[in-house]
């Protein structure tokens, strides 16, 4: 089987489990009026995973510097997926910081009269957050902060924008099939003003020849998160399970459905009994769990929740919104969450 | 429980009837208008329903239904569930070329891929074609209407060339797709 660049060719001897469908099918369609055609399982030969390992509590502070972990937990992140970066070197982070700072300043000054104001300068720091990557194929996480340097005062620079690129438990076959100069960090999280996000993305696109796209979380992904987080209840109290639905009625109805964590845990436990030997969770169990919650709601309110869309899932461990915004509540289960998101990003990347 | 059967009534001359079943009732009426406007040569009756079984009161006056189209909107899970539960009310003769599935919003990025796969699996297990429709533009609706009309003419026996089962087998795969597992 030969792999050229980023195309996986149909191997001469076809193994039974994998077939690579026509590469051209889903990527080269003209942009449609509607959302971007997801270039997903067909191009990478991925199958949508039907079972996953249960969330394991990881005391990640043993591997990662607790200050850096604290930075990840604080904010609400907007997700994007990124194609592999060409010639990104973890050793040249200082150089990248200087370039990005210069780029941002130059872009800001374009067409604007030079003003002696508060935000006269920007300082950018790139740092590698070691320890988040799980397997040896995963590249190390890179954390980027943009601080604004006030010109005259003696204040310390304050961070106006943060972002990070990460890859956790990415598909090993895909990562191995990349040509040597490419680094894959498919998940990009950003928090801060929109213009800075756009500037950082365009700098990355110019420097590393990659492309960004927004990552939306569909209802299957949110269902997995709800089930995985509920399963964590015995070890780390989730305090509530909140689901937000949007019903397409006239006028549109927003439903916020809060479930007591103990009840949610009992429902989950009755579906997926705790079995220490096999900790895989199937998609059917997740669907049964969500069905149980929907039927309960129907019994009381006579509303079919499945006729609407699930927009947000939140627990004390974190929250995820269908538009691609997440908030990480606690550092315990961060690895599982990032694994899920990396997988989602890899599936949505158009190559 | 009475099943809907196609051959229990006498067909009328130069007439074809199609039944559009949709749980949300959004797309049906526009598609119905487009179908009726498209066809000039034969009489086309379009009946709309939310689900099967059809109300018993009308069964005497209802004409013979030549084609049943299940419209599934991929944005809601409920749409698919309703279509599945209505399937059990159809007589077996409908599965020989008088039934097809129409799916809208298949290209929407927010739709989980599993839903489309389930629709395809459902259709393949009953040997029925799946048509993908774009319901937000005029052109899309017209195109869908044309496709439904083409199938309708064959199902109603108004096309001199094609017989139903032979024609529709060009739309469907005859083998149960074990390659669905690879899809």
């Amino acid at each position: 089987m030969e792999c050229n660049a980023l195309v996986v060719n149909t191997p001469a001897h076809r193994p039974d489990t994998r077939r690579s469908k026509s590469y051209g099918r889903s990527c080269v369609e003209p942009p449609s009026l509607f959302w971007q055609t997801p270039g997903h399982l067909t191009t990478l030969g991925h199958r949508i995973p039907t079972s996953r390992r249960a969330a394991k509590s990881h005391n990640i502070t043993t591997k990662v510097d607790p200050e850096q972990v604290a930075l990840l937990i604080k904010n609400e992140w907007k997700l994007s997926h990124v194609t592999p970066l060409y010639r990104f070197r973890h050793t040249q982070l200082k150089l990248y910081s200087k370039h990005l700072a210069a780029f941002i300043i130059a872009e800001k000054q374009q067409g604007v009269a030079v003003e002696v104001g508060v935000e006269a300068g920007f300082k950018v720091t790139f740092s590698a957050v070691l320890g988040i990557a799980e397997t040896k194929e995963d590249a190390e996480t890179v954390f980027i902060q943009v601080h604004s340097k006030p010109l005259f005062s003696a204040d310390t620079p304050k961070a106006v924008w943060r972002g990070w690129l990460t890859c956790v438990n990415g598909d090993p076959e895909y990562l191995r099939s990349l040509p040597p100069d490419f680094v894959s960090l498919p998940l990009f999280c950003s928090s801060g003003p929109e213009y800075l996000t756009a500037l950082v993305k365009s700098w990355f696109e110019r420097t590393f020849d990659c492309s960004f796209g927004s990552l939306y979380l569909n209802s299957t992904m949110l269902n997995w998160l709800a089930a995985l987080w509920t399963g964590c209840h015995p070890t780390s109290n989730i305090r509530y399970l909140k689901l937000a639905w949007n019903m397409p009625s006239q006028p549109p109805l927003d439903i916020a459905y809060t479930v007591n964590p103990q009840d949610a845990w009992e429902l989950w436990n009755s579906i997926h009994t705790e079995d220490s030997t096999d900790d895989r969770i199937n998609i059917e169990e997740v669907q049964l769990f969500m069905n149980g919650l929907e039927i309960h709601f129907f019994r009381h309110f006579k509303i079919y929740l499945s006729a609407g869309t699930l927009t947000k899932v939140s627990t004390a461990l974190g929250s995820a919104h269908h538009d691609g915004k997440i908030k990480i509540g606690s550092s315990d289960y961060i690895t599982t969450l990032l694994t899920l998101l990396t997988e989602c990003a890899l599936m949505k990347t158009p190559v | 429980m009475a099943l809907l059967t196609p051959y229990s009534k006498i067909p009328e001359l130069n007439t074809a009837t199609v039944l559009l079943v949709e749980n949300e009732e959004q797309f049906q009426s526009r598609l119905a208008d487009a179908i009726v406007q498209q066809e000039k040569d034969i009489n086309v009756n379009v009946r709309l329903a939310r689900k099967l079984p059809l109300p018993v009161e009308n069964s005497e006056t209802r004409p013979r239904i030549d084609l049943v189209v299940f419209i599934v909107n991929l944005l809601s899970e409920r749409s698919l569930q309703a279509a599945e539960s209505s399937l059990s009310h159809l007589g077996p003769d409908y599965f020989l070329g008088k039934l097809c599935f129409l799916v809208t919003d298949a290209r929407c990025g927010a739709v989980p891929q599993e839903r489309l796969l389930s629709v395809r699996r459902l259709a393949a297990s009953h040997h029925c074609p799946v048509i993908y429709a774009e319901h937000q533009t005029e052109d899309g609706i017209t195109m869908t209407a044309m496709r439904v009309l083409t199938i309708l003419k064959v199902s109603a026996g108004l096309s001199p060339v094609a017989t139903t089962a032979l024609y529709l087998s060009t739309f469907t795969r005859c083998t149960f797709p074990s390659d669905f597992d690879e899809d």
Side-chain angles (χ1 to χ4, degrees):
Chain A
M1 169 163 120
E2 56 160 359
C3 303
N4 276 334
L6 294 158
V7 175
V8 179
N9 291 334
T10 311
H13 154 62
R14 282 180 65 144
D16 286 314
T17 51
R18 179 171 303 254
R19 104 306 21 133
S20 29
K21 273 264 179 114
S22 62
Y23 168 71
R25 178 164 41 123
S26 44
C27 301
V28 284
E29 282 181 23
S32 53
L33 288 172
F34 319 114
W35 292 17
Q36 181 186 10
T37 322
H40 54 97
L41 67 165
T42 54
T43 53
L44 290 175
H46 275 174
R47 267 185 276 162
I48 306 166
T50 49
S51 75
R52 276 178 218 286
R53 282 210 309 275
K56 287 224 178 58
S57 166
H58 247 97
N59 195 357
I60 202 174
T61 52
T62 55
K63 288 198 296 174
V64 188
D65 183 14
E67 280 181 17
Q68 292 179 317
V69 174
L71 281 173
L72 294 183
I73 292 184
K74 259 201 305 184
N75 307 332
E76 179 172 30
W77 305 101
K78 174 95 184 55
L79 302 173
S80 319
H81 59 80
V82 194
T83 55
L85 305 167
Y86 182 59
R87 290 216 179 130
F88 179 86
R89 307 248 179 280
H90 284 90
T91 47
Q92 301 203 330
L93 296 180
K94 278 211 158 16
L95 186 64
Y96 297 150
S97 329
K98 290 201 202 104
H99 283 314
L100 182 54
F103 181 76
I104 295 182
I105 295 176
E107 288 289 322
K108 276 218 83 182
Q109 285 180 344
Q110 259 183 17
V112 174
V114 176
E115 49 186 64
V116 178
V118 180
E119 279 180 301
F122 285 99
K123 180 164 97 71
V124 175
T125 35
F126 272 63
S127 48
V129 182
L130 303 167
I132 293 194
E134 284 283 304
T135 64
K136 64 175 173 39
E137 270 100 17
D138 291 338
E140 292 297 338
T141 306
V142 177
F143 193 80
I144 308 161
Q145 287 195 62
V146 176
H147 302 269
S148 76
K149 260 190 326 198
L151 192 53
F152 285 128
S153 63
D155 289 344
T156 53
K158 66 174 172 59
V160 290
W161 185 91
R162 288 188 189 87
W164 42 299
L165 284 159
T166 183
C167 177
V168 179
N169 274 325
D171 181 22
E173 291 210 32
Y174 170 68
L175 292 175
R176 263 176 270 166
S177 73
L178 290 177
D181 279 334
F182 282 89
V183 171
S184 171
L185 285 164
L187 186 65
F188 175 68
C189 312
S190 61
S191 140
E194 191 48 47
Y195 74 92
L196 276 174
T197 312
L199 284 178
V200 174
K201 283 187 186 174
S202 65
W203 181 79
F204 266 95
E205 285 178 357
R206 280 188 214 193
T207 321
F208 302 112
D209 194 24
C210 58
S211 94
F212 286 75
S214 311
L215 185 63
Y216 299 104
L217 298 172
N218 62 25
S219 62
T220 315
M221 198 55 60
L222 293 175
N223 290 352
W224 273 111
L225 281 174
L228 284 172
W229 277 332
T230 310
C232 301
H233 182 64
T235 45
S236 135
N237 185 7
I238 61 176
R239 276 193 271 140
Y240 50 80
L241 172 65
K242 271 196 214 158
L243 303 166
W245 295 83
N246 180 273
M247 293 285 135
S249 51
Q250 294 293 349
L253 187 64
D254 280 319
I255 298 178
Y257 181 10
T258 309
V259 184
N260 177 298
Q262 193 55 35
D263 297 336
W265 158 248
E266 279 169 15
L267 175 62
W268 176 243
N269 201 23
S270 64
I271 296 172
H272 172 80
T273 46
E274 275 287 305
D275 194 350
S276 52
T277 54
D278 174 24
D279 60 354
R280 298 202 74 92
I281 304 181
N282 282 328
I283 183 87
E284 287 95 19
E285 292 169 344
V286 175
Q287 280 168 348
L288 278 174
F289 177 66
M290 294 307 292
N291 256 347
L293 293 175
E294 285 170 18
I295 291 174
H296 177 79
F297 194 84
F298 180 72
R299 215 175 272 142
H300 287 276
F301 297 101
K302 298 285 181 271
I303 295 182
Y304 284 108
L305 283 177
S306 51
T309 37
L310 177 57
T311 51
K312 187 169 179 187
V313 172
S314 55
T315 63
L317 293 175
S319 77
H321 193 276
H322 148 90
D323 280 342
K325 300 200 185 74
I326 58 158
K327 200 166 189 172
I328 307 178
S330 112
S331 64
D332 284 338
Y333 291 94
I334 205 174
T335 317
T336 320
L337 175 63
L338 290 180
T339 309
L340 213 76
L341 294 174
T342 308
E343 208 178 271
C344 190
L346 273 177
M347 284 210 293
K348 288 261 164 36
T349 332
V351 163
Chain B
M1 178 175 62
L3 298 176
L4 194 61
T5 53
Y7 298 119
S8 52
K9 299 193 190 204
I10 303 176
E12 289 150 40
L13 205 56
N14 211 29
T15 307
T17 311
V18 60
L19 175 67
L20 302 176
V21 182
E22 183 187 8
N23 187 256
E24 290 79 35
E25 294 173 329
Q26 287 170 348
F27 184 34
Q28 304 177 308
S29 40
R30 286 182 297 162
L31 184 59
D33 291 335
I35 291 179
V36 167
Q37 278 164 11
Q38 281 271 315
E39 186 50 57
K40 308 284 183 259
D41 300 327
I42 62 176
N43 296 330
V44 178
N45 294 330
V46 183
R47 320 267 305 185
L48 306 179
R50 266 197 89 200
K51 60 182 175 66
L52 298 176
L54 298 176
V56 183
E57 304 84 50
N58 292 345
S59 60
E60 296 304 313
T61 53
R62 191 183 301 136
R64 161 176 143 137
I65 293 184
D66 297 307
L67 177 67
V68 177
V69 179
F70 281 113
I71 302 181
V72 175
N73 187 339
L74 285 182
L75 283 178
S76 82
E77 185 72 34
R78 175 97 198 105
S79 198
L80 179 57
Q81 289 166 354
E84 280 172 12
S85 59
S86 300
L87 263 182
S88 48
H89 295 279
L90 279 179
D93 287 322
Y94 272 105
F95 293 95
L96 291 172
K98 290 181 184 286
L99 172 64
C100 87
F101 287 84
L102 189 84
V103 170
T104 63
D105 280 327
R107 283 197 298 179
C108 183
V111 164
Q113 292 101 349
E114 295 86 3
R115 225 171 266 168
L116 180 57
L117 277 182
S118 335
V119 175
R120 288 172 65 190
R121 212 173 259 137
L122 182 68
S125 62
H126 294 293
H127 291 286
C128 298
V130 180
I131 304 180
Y132 299 92
E134 191 186 288
H135 65 112
Q136 295 180 3
T137 60
E138 280 303 314
D139 282 341
I141 303 182
T142 321
M143 178 61 52
T144 314
M146 272 168 44
R147 296 174 78 182
V148 172
L149 268 173
T150 320
I151 302 183
L152 176 62
K153 283 195 238 189
V154 173
S155 313
L158 295 170
S159 160
V161 179
T163 58
T164 324
L166 197 60
Y167 184 73
L168 285 179
S169 68
T170 58
F171 287 133
T172 63
R173 298 190 213 182
C174 293
T175 54
F176 185 78
S178 59
D179 23 296
F180 260 135
D181 295 338
E182 298 172 12
D183 251 353

